[in-house]
Amino acid sequence: MTSPQLEWTLQTLLEQLNEDELKSFKSLLRALPLEDVLQKTPWSEVEEADGKKLAEILINTSSENWIRNATVTVLEEMNLTELCKVAKSEMLEAGQVQEIDSPQLGDAEDDSELAKPGEKEGRRNSVEKQSLVWKNTFWQGDTDSFHDDVIRRNQRFIPFLNPRTPRKLTPYTVVLHGPAGVGKTTLAKKCMLDWTDCNLSPTARYAFYLSCKELSHMGPCSFAELISKDWPEWQDDIPHILAQAQRILFVVDGLDELKVPPGALIQDLCGDWEQQKPVPVLLGSLLKRKMLPKAALLVTTRPRALRDLQLLVQQPIYIRVEGFLEEDRRAYFLRHFGDEDQAMRAFELMRSNAALFQLGSAPAVCWIVCTTLKLQMEKGEDPAPTCLTSTGLFLRFLCSQFPQGAQLRGALRALSLLAAQSLWAQMSVLHGEDLERVGVQESDLRPFLDRDILRQDRVSKGCYSFIHLSFQQFLTALFYVLEEEEEEEDRDGHAWDIGDVQKLLSEEERLKNPDLIQVGHFLFGLANEKRAKELEATFGCQMSPEIKQGLLRCKANLHANKPLSMTELKEVLCCLYESQEEELAKVVVAPFKEISINLTNTSEMMHCSFSLKHCRDLEKVSLQVAKGVFLENYVDFEPDIEFESSKSNLKFLEVKQSFLSDSSVRILCDHITRSTCHLQKVEIKNVTPDTAYRDFCLAFIGKKTLTHLTLEGHVEWERTMLLLLCDLLRNHKCNLQYLRLGGHCATSEQWADFSYVLKANQSLNHLHLSASVLLDEGAKLLYKTMTHPNHFLQMLSLENCRLTEASCKDLAAVLVVSQQLTHLCLAKNPIGDTGVKFLCEGLSYPECKLQALVLQQCSITKRGCRYLSEALQEACSLTNLDLSLNQIARGMWILCQALENPNCNLKHLRLWSCSLMPFYCQHLGSALISNQKLETLDLGQNHLWKSGIIKLFRVLRQRTGSLKTLRLKTYETNSEIKKLLEEVKEKNPKLTIDCNASGATAPACCDFFC
C-alpha cells in the first residue's frame, strides 16, 4: 500500500505537467518494465488520463518503490530539472534513484581479474557461512520458499545486484528502511549471499556483516579486528582482501540500535583500518567513506534513524522495505490454514482491526494471528472477539501456548522484566550480561524459548531476541500490571532502568523512545478484568490492583490544563477502546466538553463510538470522515455512532469534508430529531452523498433550539431540497438567526421561492450565500424582499455569486430603504468601478444604515476610489471598509483625502495586497496625522519596502493617535527600522503592530465582515 504522502506528492508533480509534457511522460513510462497489475491495465485509460487520474492509476496498480524510482527516472529523461529536484527531495528523501531497465552492464569498477588459486576454496567456505547466516534469518512458520517473492520484490531495486544497472564511478550506498520485523535483515543477508555467489561473478567478492546490536557491546579495536572477529579463518588474508575494496560489500545492520551519543559517528574519523578506535568511530568512518571508500555499503535501519543517517552517507539510494503487502498476507493465511473459508474469515477479522492489520506487514505477526485464530477455530470458539484489540489477540496467543494452571508466574515475571528493561534501553537483542544485570537466568526463559516467543540466535548462542517488537511491547506492559513478588522488593542488588507508569505515558519519554507509545495501549488493554482472570488462570499471576487508578491519574492530567489536540484525543480513545472497559471510559471522558476528530479508518470509528457515547457534558463536536470509513455493506458498528450528551448538552455539531453512508446520515438525523437534542449550531460542509443535505434539512424542520445553520458544498439543488429549506424557514418553530448556503446552484424560479419565504421569516438576521450561482436575476429577487418593511436581515454576504455592476443599481435602492441592513459583503464579484458608483449613491443618503462593506477582489481601480472617497467625506454611516485585492494604488491619495476629512467615520480599513508602493506612504502618513477615528489599518502583502516603512513609522512616533492595530510587512533586521519601531511602541503603548502580515492568501472576508 502506498502512503498518503506519496499519493499527494505524485499527484502534485503530474498536475504541473502541460499537455505535451504529460504525453511524453506516459510514453517514457510505457518504455519501462511495468509491474504486473499496471501491465494488465488497458493503456487507453493511461492515455486518456489527466495528471490527477494518472497518479490514481499508478497508486492503485504499482508498488511504492516502483512509483518512486519510475517517476524520477522519467522526469530526468525529460530534462525537467526543477520537477526532478522536487521529486527526489519529496519521494526519495534526499536519496539517489537507480535507473530502471537500462541496457548497460557493469560493476562499480572494471574488475576483470579472475579468482586467484586458493581463493575458490575460501569463497566456498564464505558462501557456506553466509548460508548459515541466511538460514538463521527466517521467520516463524516459514517451511518453504514463500518468502522468495517478497525478497525479490525489493531486491530488484538494489543496483549492485541488478545486471541492468549502469556503470557508476562512485560505489553505491543503499539504505533499507522500514518498521520492525518486515524483513530488512533478511533482505540484507540475502544480498550478501548473492554478492558472494561464485556463479554470479567470476571474481572473488567478499561480504561482511556488521550487526549494530552486537557492536554496541564491543570496546575499542581496529577495523581489521572488527571484521575478522566472525571470520578467524581469514585472519591472514584480511590485508589482501581490504586492498581490493571494490570487491567488498559491508552490511551495517540495525543502525538505529547503535547506542552512541549524538554526533559520535562523525567525530574523529579514521581512514587507517589498522588503527585502534572506538567502534562508533570505525562505523562512522566507513559510512562517511573515510575508511575503504571504494566498498559497497548496505545499511538497514528503522525510520527513526534516517535523519541522523543523512549526515553520514553520501548519495544514498533509499529503499523502503514494506514486508508483507495485503496480497502477501492473504496468501500467507491461505497457506497456513489450508481451508480457504477459515483463512478468509481470519484474514477479514485481522483486516477489520487497522492497527493489527498494519502490524501484519511483519511476517512474525501474521504467524501469531494465524496460530491463535486457527487454534480457536479448531476448538469451535468464535475468533471475532479476539481480534477486536491487539491486546486481546496477543494475550490469547500467549495463554494458548501453555496449559491452564501452568504455574509459570516467576518465568513470566522474568520475561516481562527482560522485555521492559530492553525496551527502555531501546534494545531488541539481549546478551548474557543483560540477563545477569537484571537477575534473570536462562532457565527462567526456557518455556518461552521452546515456543519461539523468545528466540536464541543459532550462531551466537548468548544472544536473545523477542519474536517481534510488538510482542516485546506487550510483555513490557505486562511487567507493569503484574503484582510484584515479595522477594523483588530489594531486587537483590540488580539494577533496573525502567520508568514508572507516569513516565511511560509522558510526552517527553515518548518523543525520546517512540516504542513506548504502543506499550501504553497494551497497558490499558491489560486493565481489563476478564483478561486479568485469563492470565491468572493460565500462569497463576495476580494483577496489580493499583494499575487502573494509576492509568486514570495519568490520563486525567492530559486534559487538566488545556483541551486535547486531535492527536492526543485519538490516543486517548485508542487506549480506552483497547481496554474494552466501559466504566474506565466513562471516568476518562467525563470532563470532555469539546472534541474535534478526523476519522481515517474503521478502527478509529470504533474507538470513537466506544467512548464518546459516555461524554455526557459534551457541548461541541467537529467531525471529519475519510472515504471508506462508512461502508453500506459494513454497518456492524454504525448504530453505535451516538453521543449521550445529545440528551442535554450538545450545542454545536460540525461535519466537514466527510464521506458518509446513507445509514450513518440516518443515524445522525435520528439523534437530531429527538426532543432531548438541543443543538443550537450546525455546520455541514462538503459532505457526500449529496442527498445528505436533503436529509439534514428534513431533520432540522421544527427544531426550535437551532439558531445557526451552515450548508456548504457544490450541490445541485433539486426542488425537494429547496422545498425542505423553505419549510424550515416557514415553520412556526423556526428560530434560525444565521443561515449560510455555499456552493449551491438554483434556477431563478427557485430563488424566487426562497426570497418569498424570507418575507415570512421573522428570526433570520444573517444570510450568507457565498459561492452560489445567484447571478443578477436571483439577486434582484432577493433585493425586492429586502425592501419589504418587515424584513429583518442585518448582515448579507453574496461573496462570489457572479454578480455584475447591474446588480449594484438595485442594491443601492435597498441601502436607502432598509433600516436593518448594517453589513454587506460583495467580495469576488466583478462589479468594477461602475458598481461602486451605484453603491456610493445609496451610501450618500442619510437614511442608509450600512456600517461594514466588503469589496474584496471586485476589480476596483482609481475611479472607484474617487466614488468611495466622496461618500466617506459626506459623513456616511460606513465604519468598516475592505478593499483588499484591488489594484487601487493610484487611487490611494484619493482615499487619504477622505481619511483626513473629519466627517469620515471609518474605524477599520483593510488594504491587503492592493499594489501599494513606498511613494503612497507619504499620503498615508499625512492622513494618519489628521485622522482621529481609524483604529485598524491592514497593509499586509504590499511592497512598501524600507523607505515606505520608515515614512510610516516616523509619522507614528510623532503623536498618539486613535490607531490600535497596524498590519504590514517590516524589515526588522534593518537597524533604523528596528529603532523606529521601538520609538513608535514607546509613544503609542496601546498600538499593536503585526510585522509579519504577508501571508500568501487573503484574510477571510468573514473575519472582517462579522
Side-chain angles (χ1 to χ4, degrees):
M1 293 179 65
T2 53
S3 67
Q5 178 64 34
L6 175 61
E7 184 174 354
W8 181 87
T9 302
L10 180 62
Q11 181 178 321
T12 302
L13 287 169
L14 295 182
E15 286 182 338
Q16 293 186 53
L17 301 178
N18 60 37
E19 187 175 348
D20 291 335
E21 289 171 341
L22 189 60
K23 190 178 295 183
S24 298
F25 185 96
K26 295 172 183 175
S27 177
L28 291 169
L29 191 70
R30 193 172 190 179
L32 298 178
L34 307 180
E35 295 199 334
D36 292 341
V37 181
L38 184 55
Q39 282 182 350
K40 296 174 184 176
T41 302
W43 198 254
S44 58
E45 291 184 20
V46 177
E47 293 288 356
E48 295 170 4
D50 57 11
K52 182 177 181 181
K53 182 63 178 177
L54 179 58
E56 182 180 333
I57 291 173
L58 294 177
I59 291 295
N60 292 331
T61 60
S62 305
S63 67
E64 184 169 340
N65 286 332
W66 189 91
I67 292 172
R68 294 175 187 274
N69 287 281
T71 302
V72 178
T73 299
V74 172
L75 291 176
E76 282 182 336
E77 187 70 23
M78 294 173 67
N79 292 320
L80 297 176
T81 309
E82 292 303 318
L83 281 183
C84 193
K85 285 181 181 178
V86 173
K88 286 184 177 181
S89 172
E90 296 296 326
M91 303 177 79
L92 298 175
E93 303 170 340
Q96 176 191 355
V97 65
Q98 73 168 95
E99 294 185 25
I100 303 176
D101 198 28
S102 173
Q104 300 177 8
L105 300 174
D107 295 322
E109 293 214 1
D110 189 7
D111 230 351
S112 58
E113 180 186 0
L114 296 177
K116 296 178 181 179
E119 282 188 336
K120 288 186 177 180
E121 184 64 30
R123 292 179 66 194
R124 183 159 50 249
N125 292 338
S126 169
V127 171
E128 290 175 358
K129 192 159 187 177
Q130 300 288 4
S131 298
L132 287 175
V133 174
W134 164 242
K135 291 176 181 177
N136 190 37
T137 312
F138 292 164
W139 47 76
Q140 289 79 1
D142 186 40
T143 56
D144 50 29
S145 60
F146 179 75
H147 60 279
D148 284 349
D149 290 340
V150 181
I151 295 300
R152 273 197 297 269
R153 184 167 61 230
N154 291 288
Q155 195 172 5
R156 61 182 171 171
F157 287 104
I158 297 177
F160 46 72
L161 296 178
N162 189 339
R164 294 182 172 184
T165 301
R167 289 179 179 273
K168 190 171 179 288
L169 295 178
T170 56
Y172 286 103
T173 299
V174 177
V175 178
L176 306 178
H177 65 98
V182 294
K184 300 185 296 295
T185 300
T186 302
L187 175 58
K189 291 181 177 179
K190 181 64 167 63
C191 291
M192 291 175 63
L193 196 61
D194 289 350
W195 176 272
T196 56
D197 191 338
C198 306
N199 299 318
L200 296 181
S201 173
T203 61
R205 297 207 291 187
Y206 308 92
F208 294 95
Y209 177 72
L210 304 174
S211 170
C212 293
K213 304 168 187 176
E214 297 180 13
L215 297 182
S216 296
H217 293 262
M218 286 186 64
C221 62
S222 70
F223 191 78
E225 292 169 344
L226 181 71
I227 63 174
S228 63
K229 66 180 182 65
D230 293 327
W231 308 89
E233 66 273 21
W234 283 3
Q235 188 74 42
D236 297 334
D237 296 328
I238 288 295
H240 171 69
I241 293 172
L242 295 183
Q244 307 171 76
Q246 69 274 11
R247 299 182 181 183
I248 303 175
L249 169 66
F250 288 106
V251 172
V252 181
D253 188 28
L255 189 68
D256 54 295
E257 303 223 30
L258 189 65
K259 300 297 173 279
V260 294
L265 293 175
I266 57 176
Q267 294 178 359
D268 193 25
L269 297 181
C270 171
D272 183 355
W273 43 267
E274 293 184 321
Q275 188 176 351
Q276 296 270 332
K277 290 285 183 179
V279 169
V281 171
L282 297 177
L283 276 183
S285 302
L286 180 67
L287 295 172
K288 286 289 279 185
R289 296 202 171 275
K290 181 76 171 177
M291 182 85 68
L292 302 172
K294 294 182 179 181
L297 298 178
L298 184 61
V299 183
T300 75
T301 181
R302 288 168 63 187
R304 66 187 182 196
L306 282 177
R307 182 175 296 180
D308 294 334
L309 188 61
Q310 289 174 1
L311 301 174
L312 288 167
V313 294
Q314 301 172 7
Q315 295 185 315
I317 298 172
Y318 289 101
I319 298 177
R320 176 175 172 80
V321 181
E322 297 177 317
F324 277 1
L325 303 180
E326 182 170 337
E327 56 266 30
D328 300 321
R329 282 168 249 187
R330 184 182 287 107
Y332 188 93
F333 272 64
L334 286 169
R335 183 161 304 192
H336 188 99
F337 278 86
D339 182 280
E340 184 176 354
D341 291 339
Q342 286 188 345
M344 286 299 95
R345 172 157 167 71
F347 178 76
E348 291 300 329
L349 284 173
M350 183 175 78
R351 190 163 63 172
S352 67
N353 183 331
L356 188 60
F357 194 65
Q358 185 176 4
L359 287 174
S361 63
V365 175
C366 279
W367 179 74
I368 290 174
V369 175
C370 288
T371 300
T372 306
L373 300 189
K374 186 177 183 181
L375 188 60
Q376 280 194 276
M377 290 179 182
E378 290 172 350
K379 292 180 177 179
E381 299 175 1
D382 181 10
T386 301
C387 284
L388 280 177
T389 66
S390 301
T391 309
L393 186 128
F394 282 0
L395 182 63
R396 178 54 61 93
F397 168 75
L398 179 64
C399 293
S400 68
Q401 300 300 300
F402 301 93
Q404 282 204 354
Q407 297 301 316
L408 292 171
R409 179 174 54 190
L412 184 61
R413 179 69 182 171
L415 183 70
S416 64
L417 166 61
L418 203 60
Q421 175 69 32
S422 55
L423 195 80
W424 275 95
Q426 300 186 52
M427 296 189 306
S428 63
V429 173
L430 299 157
H431 297 77
E433 58 265 31
D434 297 319
L435 272 63
E436 293 176 9
R437 191 176 300 115
V438 294
V440 173
Q441 304 295 323
E442 183 183 329
S443 57
D444 297 331
L445 306 176
R446 179 50 53 190
F448 307 103
L449 286 167
D450 293 341
R451 291 163 176 82
D452 276 331
I453 293 171
L454 189 69
R455 303 182 66 196
Q456 190 171 29
D457 194 288
R458 299 177 191 175
V459 179
S460 303
K461 295 296 184 181
C463 293
Y464 305 86
S465 61
F466 291 92
I467 183 173
H468 187 256
L469 171 64
S470 59
F471 207 78
Q472 182 183 2
Q473 293 166 324
F474 168 76
L475 291 169
T476 300
L478 200 57
F479 168 79
Y480 287 95
V481 301
L482 292 178
E483 201 166 18
E484 284 193 19
E485 304 289 338
E486 291 182 8
E487 60 269 20
E488 285 183 354
E489 291 182 1
D490 60 2
R491 301 181 182 177
D492 297 328
H494 298 296
W496 297 358
D497 187 15
I498 303 173
D500 58 17
V501 172
Q502 186 171 353
K503 193 174 181 181
L504 170 72
L505 299 177
S506 71
E507 186 68 22
E508 181 183 357
E509 292 298 328
R510 291 175 171 210
L511 287 173
K512 291 190 291 186
N513 186 356
D515 292 340
L516 296 176
I517 296 174
Q518 186 60 45
V519 178
H521 297 178
F522 285 131
L523 192 55
F524 271 84
L526 290 170
N528 182 285
E529 292 185 9
K530 290 182 180 178
R531 292 169 186 162
K533 292 177 180 177
E534 184 177 3
L535 196 67
E536 183 179 353
T538 303
F539 294 98
C541 299
Q542 292 286 335
M543 289 285 198
S544 170
E546 300 176 0
I547 189 64
K548 192 175 293 188
Q549 291 303 317
L551 292 175
L552 286 174
R553 283 194 299 271
C554 292
K555 286 302 177 187
N557 292 335
L558 270 177
H559 46 77
N561 301 317
K562 60 182 179 65
L564 293 177
S565 67
M566 190 177 297
T567 302
E568 290 171 335
L569 177 62
K570 284 188 176 183
E571 168 76 5
V572 170
L573 296 181
C574 178
C575 288
L576 293 175
Y577 181 80
E578 197 71 25
S579 76
Q580 291 293 298
E581 281 279 356
E582 298 275 356
E583 292 303 316
L584 182 63
K586 286 180 181 180
V587 176
V588 172
V589 302
F592 289 3
K593 294 186 179 297
E594 178 179 326
I595 64 163
S596 176
I597 192 163
N598 179 8
L599 302 176
T600 59
N601 54 57
T602 53
S603 287
E604 289 181 355
M605 181 69 253
M606 295 172 75
H607 299 167
C608 187
S609 63
F610 178 78
S611 296
L612 295 187
K613 60 189 175 186
H614 300 303
C615 296
R616 299 184 179 277
D617 293 327
L618 199 62
E619 297 177 356
K620 179 179 178 180
V621 173
S622 179
L623 184 65
Q624 188 173 343
V625 184
K627 192 173 185 178
V629 174
F630 289 126
L631 300 175
E632 289 301 333
N633 60 348
Y634 188 73
V635 297
D636 291 352
F637 59 86
E638 288 191 0
D640 291 331
I641 309 168
E642 62 176 87
F643 303 101
E644 289 188 3
S645 56
S646 63
K647 296 176 181 177
S648 56
N649 295 321
L650 189 61
K651 303 295 189 296
F652 179 23
L653 173 63
E654 178 187 40
V655 184
K656 61 182 180 180
Q657 283 81 47
S658 293
F659 295 83
L660 306 176
S661 64
D662 290 337
S663 56
S664 62
V665 172
R666 284 195 300 271
I667 293 165
L668 283 171
C669 290
D670 177 60
H671 288 292
I672 290 171
T673 55
R674 292 178 185 176
S675 59
T676 52
C677 174
H678 302 298
L679 276 173
Q680 297 175 3
K681 184 176 181 179
V682 177
E683 295 182 1
I684 310 295
K685 303 176 182 178
N686 300 310
V687 302
T688 59
D690 290 348
T691 54
Y693 292 93
R694 181 191 61 201
D695 295 336
F696 282 124
C697 267
L698 184 61
F700 296 143
I701 295 175
K703 199 71 185 174
K704 62 182 180 180
T705 59
L706 188 65
T707 59
H708 289 66
L709 176 61
T710 296
L711 298 173
E712 284 187 344
H714 295 285
V715 182
E716 293 291 338
W717 271 30
E718 56 181 83
R719 185 161 182 81
T720 306
M721 169 70 181
L722 186 66
L723 289 173
L724 289 172
L725 191 59
C726 291
D727 287 345
L728 170 64
L729 293 170
R730 191 186 294 116
N731 191 283
H732 69 281
K733 293 182 179 180
C734 178
N735 290 314
L736 206 61
Q737 299 171 18
Y738 177 102
L739 176 62
R740 184 182 185 94
L741 305 175
H744 297 297
C745 300
T747 65
S748 297
E749 292 77 10
Q750 291 171 334
W751 285 122
D753 293 340
F754 179 74
S755 300
Y756 178 78
V757 171
L758 288 179
K759 288 183 182 178
N761 184 280
Q762 298 184 3
S763 62
L764 194 68
N765 50 45
H766 290 55
L767 178 62
H768 296 250
L769 298 177
S770 59
S772 295
V773 184
L774 183 63
L775 304 178
D776 291 347
E777 296 83 10
K780 189 171 184 177
L781 295 167
L782 182 61
Y783 299 156
K784 187 176 180 180
T785 299
M786 295 176 65
T787 58
H788 194 276
N790 291 329
H791 94 88
F792 293 90
L793 280 183
Q794 298 173 11
M795 296 186 179
L796 175 65
S797 175
L798 302 177
E799 179 183 345
N800 194 20
C801 286
R802 305 186 189 182
L803 306 182
T804 66
E805 59 190 46
S807 174
C808 295
K809 192 168 186 179
D810 298 317
L811 185 54
V814 176
L815 297 181
V816 176
V817 175
S818 175
Q819 296 295 303
Q820 302 294 332
L821 190 64
T822 58
H823 292 65
L824 175 64
C825 175
L826 298 175
K828 301 178 184 177
N829 290 294
I831 63 173
D833 295 331
T834 305
V836 173
K837 178 184 177 182
F838 291 139
L839 291 175
C840 289
E841 289 174 359
L843 284 170
S844 63
Y845 279 82
E847 293 83 2
C848 177
K849 306 297 182 184
L850 197 67
Q851 298 173 15
L853 178 61
V854 179
L855 300 176
Q856 190 180 113
Q857 201 173 341
C858 287
S859 305
I860 301 171
T861 65
K862 174 183 176 181
R863 195 156 58 95
C865 290
R866 186 177 300 280
Y867 299 136
L868 287 167
S869 179
E870 291 172 357
L872 290 170
Q873 293 182 65
E874 292 177 3
C876 73
S877 58
L878 210 59
T879 58
N880 296 22
L881 178 62
D882 184 354
L883 296 175
S884 300
L885 292 164
N886 290 292
Q887 305 300 309
I888 62 168
R890 294 175 59 192
M892 187 63 210
W893 67 274
I894 304 175
L895 285 176
C896 289
Q897 288 179 353
L899 292 174
E900 291 174 355
N901 193 306
N903 290 330
C904 178
N905 292 313
L906 275 187
K907 293 184 177 180
H908 308 281
L909 177 60
R910 177 180 281 173
L911 302 173
W912 192 90
S913 191
C914 286
S915 302
L916 303 184
M917 300 296 286
F919 171 79
Y920 302 105
C921 291
Q922 189 69 47
H923 301 291
L924 193 55
S926 300
L928 291 176
I929 290 176
S930 304
N931 189 284
Q932 296 296 316
K933 298 176 182 177
L934 194 66
E935 297 179 1
T936 302
L937 178 60
D938 190 343
L939 301 175
Q941 200 65 15
N942 286 290
H943 299 292
L944 302 180
W945 307 109
K946 297 176 184 177
S947 58
I949 301 295
I950 289 172
K951 287 175 184 177
L952 276 178
F953 282 2
R954 282 177 177 171
V955 170
L956 292 172
R957 73 174 179 179
Q958 293 177 16
R959 58 187 293 277
T960 303
S962 58
L963 200 63
K964 296 179 180 178
T965 303
L966 175 63
R967 300 189 184 97
L968 75 173
K969 175 63 178 177
T970 63
Y971 301 82
E972 293 187 49
T973 54
N974 181 276
S975 57
E976 185 177 1
I977 289 180
K978 195 171 183 180
K979 181 180 179 183
L980 282 170
L981 182 59
E982 293 173 356
E983 292 175 358
V984 170
K985 290 181 178 179
E986 184 178 349
K987 185 69 176 179
N988 298 272
K990 294 183 180 181
L991 174 61
T992 299
I993 300 180
D994 181 355
C995 298
N996 296 300
S998 60
T1001 56
C1005 296
C1006 58
D1007 295 344
F1008 186 79
F1009 181 56
C1010 298

